[in-house]
Amino acid sequence: MPTLSEVARHAGVTAATVSNVLRGRGRVGEETRLRVLDAVKALGYRPHLAARALAEGRAPTIALMVSSIANPFYPEFALAVERAARESGHFVIVCNTNEDPATGRAYLEQIAGTLSEGVLVTNANLDFADLHKTEARGAPVVLCMWERPQEPPGLHCVAVDFRLAGELAGTHLVELGHRRIGAIVGSKVSGIHAARYQGFLDAMTQAGLDAPESHLRRAPDTVQGGYAATRALLEAEPGITAIFASNDLPALGALHAAADLGRQVPRDLSVVGITDIQPAREARPALTTVAVPTAEAAELAVGLLRELLAASPDYVGAAESAPRVCTTSAPKLIVRSSTGPARAQ
Amino acid sequence: MPTLSEVARHAGVTAATVSNVLRGRGRVGEETRLRVLDAVKALGYRPHLAARALAEGRAPTIALMVSSIANPFYPEFALAVERAARESGHFVIVCNTNEDPATGRAYLEQIAGTLSEGVLVTNANLDFADLHKTEARGAPVVLCMWERPQEPPGLHCVAVDFRLAGELAGTHLVELGHRRIGAIVGSKVSGIHAARYQGFLDAMTQAGLDAPESHLRRAPDTVQGGYAATRALLEAEPGITAIFASNDLPALGALHAAADLGRQVPRDLSVVGITDIQPAREARPALTTVAVPTAEAAELAVGLLRELLAASPDYVGAAESAPRVCTTSAPKLIVRSSTGPARAQ
């Protein structure tokens, strides 16, 4: 659905003018009024559908819990959730837990079932016990971006095959002739990037290649984390010709480290990430990555939550019923400019 | 204040374990328990102060209205607001208006004074009339990042001298010997970047330089917008040796355009932005920009809102009392690698 801003841009007026025309308020010249109405028609804008629902006090609000609003993935995901939610007249409030389970618990207790009808949870580092309690109070919970479709979490969830994402990234590097491949993994051994790293190891095994511990660095899931880990890795193992990073942020850090070490990408070093966040597309060289279907996951999550809400007040939490698992379509390799053939040693 | 995650990292355990230790729940070995308590002490962690307040139903929630969560400035600002809010036990819920006044109005009507005690508004494209109505219902409103300290908006606000930011950017380019300087402005003539462009023009006037209309492009306030505008500008005016962009996002787009046009930065083209968002620091070449005091603005805004809340229930809206204007310290030029001396023609 087009936004009011898009209507305004199309008509060459301000958003306030569009709003005035649609509400019959303010002083707007006839020619401008007609131009705005033409733009409304041309774009198929439906004024205030969701806004009206909210103002009428139907409290059609969804809470989206994110672990770190500073990680650009989450704002992108929040935007996709909003787009999907708007279709059913739902508004989204974003709660940032800063990876603190106690903060997350407090948000859940304050918001779920009162201000918000239901809760979408990304990897917000929450206790599952708290999520079950939220469900028991009658507010459905959907986990988004669950990383292991084969091991459902006991809660309703949208799952993405992140093991496959890791395998696609690893296979891409192998097919380019790389043999000594470094891995930057943005979580602990049992953490949320474990499935991605397993996929990478699967690709290496399939190719009969070694993935020694000395080629692995665990690092914070940030640009800075990837930067430091890549510098350390390349200094310790200068024969490495490619880097697999379990997320785009550390992959972008790897690009910066290569630049600062005087290694040209992709001639001297190939780098591949996972997710396809916007900065990956905007980097120079643009980052090769395995895109996960973010918008699709958001749509599935909102759709699932909507079904659960429609079933209430007969709603029973996932603990009492069989939790639903929706799996997105498969991640896809996007080849850009950060990967190339391995140089002959 | 350190987070639970930082305590966990310091102790080498999971956040859930730290939580269990602090609440005396779960099975945790004595050695681990002591390690966690040591980490709590070492970092000065104060457990759950804010979380407890929220769970006790004191509803100490602040709503932060942002115009576009996809613009990385707003998540950075949200994080700074959260840090400041946590000190007084307030939680923050983020509402994204997508630049739609009707959406913003609906959020205000639903949330302000009910779920949230007060409202912080960044440039969310809201009708001032709606903000006055919110105040009339007893929920204080503080405008953050107001762009013209000399022209208060009739609402409580935190102002930043953005005209000065534009002047500092322009003066920097002039001092490097640039004479033909392009300007990419991320808003309409009367829009929120007007003061920044005025500052740039002031710098040009002071130096006795021309800033002809042909050197100006107005563009969407995005990387893509800056990219397209820079390409168009450099094709029409190849003699331009430097670009002033009214915001970091279009400045980053200018860097990409220069790369794609084969113009080396800063040898062939200097680029300066305004704000100092994280991608500016992470770009290669790193972006020269005029940093605005984002964290300070967030602290001032939360502090002002807290004062207004403390004055309630005797609170009267800004329409009835004299609106407060807090001005941040001055923006500062940060010279990085995207600007250099003008080449002799």
Side-chain angles (χ1 to χ4, degrees), chain A residues 236-249:
Chain A
E237 301 280 343
I240 282 175
T241 63
I243 300 264
F244 159 83
S246 65
N247 220 359
D248 284 347
L249 286 180

Side-chain angles (χ1 to χ4, degrees), chain B residues 39-117:
Chain B
V40 165
K41 205 169 163 191
L43 298 179
Y45 178 69
R46 287 181 299 159
H48 310 151
L49 197 70
R52 200 173 288 152
L54 184 51
E56 282 166 2
R58 286 197 275 127
T61 306
I62 292 172
L64 172 65
M65 316 276 292
V66 302
S67 59
S68 169
I69 203 170
N71 176 335
F73 170 75
Y74 293 104
E76 287 185 27
F77 189 71
L79 212 55
V81 165
E82 285 184 334
R83 282 208 188 100
R86 200 166 299 171
E87 284 172 26
S88 56
H90 279 88
F91 277 63
V92 178
I93 56 177
V94 180
C95 304
N96 180 33
T97 68
N98 269 328
E99 304 188 18
D100 183 343
T103 301
R105 181 178 309 125
Y107 273 122
L108 287 173
E109 290 177 0
Q110 180 75 6
I111 285 165
T114 56
L115 183 83
S116 77
E117 296 184 339

Side-chain angles (χ1 to χ4, degrees), chain A residues 90 156 312:
Chain A
H90 279 88
H156 304 295
S312 65

Side-chain angles (χ1 to χ4, degrees), chain A residues 181-240:
Chain A
I181 304 175
I184 313 277
V185 177
S187 75
K188 301 252 167 66
V189 177
S190 62
I192 62 157
H193 293 185
R196 308 175 186 200
Y197 182 53
Q198 185 57 52
F200 167 75
L201 292 178
D202 292 346
M204 297 295 277
T205 305
Q206 282 158 31
L209 292 173
D210 265 358
E213 275 290 312
S214 61
H215 287 188
L216 167 67
R217 286 289 184 285
R218 297 193 181 271
D221 185 19
T222 60
V223 172
Q224 274 308 316
Y227 178 88
T230 301
R231 287 200 73 136
L233 191 56
L234 293 178
E235 273 156 23
E237 301 280 343
I240 282 175

